[in-house]
Amino acid sequence: MKQNLIGAICLSLAASMWGGMYVVSKYVLDYIPPLTLVWLRYVIAFVVLFVVLKIIHLKNDNRTEIKKSDWLLIAWIGFIGYFVSIAFQFIGTKLSDAHTGALITSATPAFIVVFARFILKEKLTVRKITSVLLATLGVVIVIGWDTKVGTYFLGTIILVGAAITWALLSVYVKVASKRLSSLAITTYAVFFALVFTTPAFVWELQSNDVYYQNTLIILGVIYLGVVSTAGAFFLWNKGMELMDAGVGSLFFFFQPLVGSFLGWLLLNEKLDVNFFIGGFLIMAGVVVVSLQKKKTM
């Protein structure tokens, strides 16, 4: 029970950090192109994570030691999740808007449940499916269905790809965590993502300008690198290590919920009754699947 509680806290914090990411990234993307921003995030995140990993390694944590057979899996996690998924997320948001991005990527938990069934052999129970449907309905109510999917067709397709690839990352992190620590997985997967992103970053700079003369832009990049990447990636992987992937996926729904709340708190956006109805349904979905977990222990 304690393990599930810690996992729930980690996943909730990670999703909450990403909730604030949409506001920050949308502002920074007006000055820095998407793939360049992803590259900057990973440079900062890798430095932070590597320093922490080395400090932990001094304490002889044997789960930070990686065998040759593990490198391919970590490289795959870095490619499919931290390179493809994040690049899709930034490009899709750039081609659409933060509202559409939040709505489309909220399909991620459903994909996680499906992939967990086939890759991890987790049981697909009625209670788990009900939880995902309740929480998904809650997200739709919070954000609303009034999107410009037709206008943003290409951006929407790319955002669907972001949701699918992040679901794959979450499942394969669960596979890797059976032998490796979450910190080691996150650190070296971010390193591989940095390697994969570098050619795209160099190519993008050939036709795009980068503006960094604004203090808010610099602070935004640091926030995205330290908090939304190093911190949130580690917490998400740690939470997935401690919980079933299908159960942990439900906490992803805190992202749009927190994003809407921060929009009200920081940007003076209005919260109507839909926010509270949708928030209740999201919480209900989490409670339903949590009750299932308690009964099986």
Side-chain angles (χ1 to χ4, degrees):
M1 185 61 196
K2 182 180 179 181
Q3 177 174 301
N4 287 333
L5 177 60
I6 295 174
I9 293 173
C10 289
L11 293 171
S12 299
L13 287 174
S16 298
M17 290 174 181
W18 291 326
M21 184 182 67
Y22 277 106
V23 176
V24 177
S25 63
K26 191 63 178 178
Y27 173 78
V28 176
L29 282 169
D30 288 334
Y31 304 93
I32 300 176
L35 294 175
T36 302
L37 182 56
V38 173
W39 187 86
L40 290 171
R41 284 179 65 184
Y42 288 154
V43 169
I44 296 171
F46 177 69
V47 170
V48 172
L49 289 166
F50 188 75
V51 170
V52 175
L53 181 66
K54 287 305 176 183
I55 293 173
I56 298 298
H57 185 71
L58 291 175
K59 297 180 181 179
N60 297 319
D61 182 358
N62 56 12
R63 297 187 79 209
T64 63
E65 297 181 2
I66 302 176
K67 297 180 179 180
K68 290 183 179 179
S69 59
D70 299 318
W71 284 111
L72 185 61
L73 178 57
I74 293 176
W76 170 247
I77 291 171
F79 176 76
I80 196 67
Y82 297 155
F83 173 56
V84 176
S85 184
I86 299 300
F88 277 7
Q89 178 185 316
F90 274 73
I91 295 171
T93 301
K94 181 74 173 180
L95 294 176
S96 56
D97 55 23
H99 179 93
T100 304
L103 182 61
I104 299 299
T105 54
S106 67
T108 298
F111 290 120
I112 292 177
V113 170
V114 173
F115 291 143
R117 172 67 184 88
F118 291 102
I119 298 174
L120 301 175
K121 308 303 180 184
E122 291 184 2
K123 291 183 178 180
L124 192 61
T125 64
V126 173
R127 194 182 291 263
K128 190 179 293 185
I129 294 173
T130 302
S131 298
V132 173
L133 291 177
L134 274 175
T136 303
L137 178 60
V139 169
V140 173
I141 292 174
V142 168
I143 301 176
W145 195 255
D146 185 20
T147 66
K148 301 176 182 178
V149 173
T151 306
Y152 297 143
F153 178 75
L154 179 59
T156 299
I157 295 299
I158 293 174
L159 287 167
V160 171
I164 293 173
T165 48
W166 188 262
L168 282 171
L169 164 119
S170 300
V171 171
Y172 279 105
V173 161
K174 182 74 175 178
V175 174
S177 65
K178 293 178 180 178
R179 225 198 59 75
L180 302 170
S181 72
S182 297
L183 182 58
I185 295 169
T186 308
T187 301
Y188 292 114
V190 167
F191 170 75
F192 278 110
L194 179 60
V195 172
F196 294 133
T197 307
T198 297
F201 151 71
V202 173
W203 170 80
E204 187 179 62
L205 283 185
Q206 305 305 310
S207 57
N208 290 274
D209 295 322
V210 177
Y211 301 95
Y212 55 86
Q213 293 85 354
N214 189 318
T215 302
L216 288 178
I217 299 174
I218 297 173
L219 290 175
V221 172
I222 293 174
Y223 171 86
L224 292 172
V226 177
V227 179
S228 298
T229 307
F233 282 8
F234 167 72
L235 288 170
W236 183 260
N237 291 346
K238 186 64 177 179
M240 280 294 172
E241 175 189 336
L242 297 174
M243 304 184 76
D244 284 351
V247 175
S249 69
L250 269 293
F251 292 88
F252 189 86
F253 288 113
F254 283 106
Q255 178 177 329
L257 191 64
V258 172
S260 297
F261 175 75
L262 290 177
W264 167 78
L265 184 66
L266 302 175
L267 303 178
N268 296 318
E269 296 179 354
K270 294 183 179 180
L271 290 183
D272 55 21
V273 67
N274 287 353
F275 174 82
F276 299 98
I277 295 174
F280 173 79
L281 289 174
I282 292 172
M283 294 303 300
V286 173
V287 169
V288 166
V289 82
S290 297
L291 289 177
Q292 179 195 29
K293 198 65 185 164
K294 289 178 182 178
K295 290 179 68 176
T296 58
M297 290 183 65

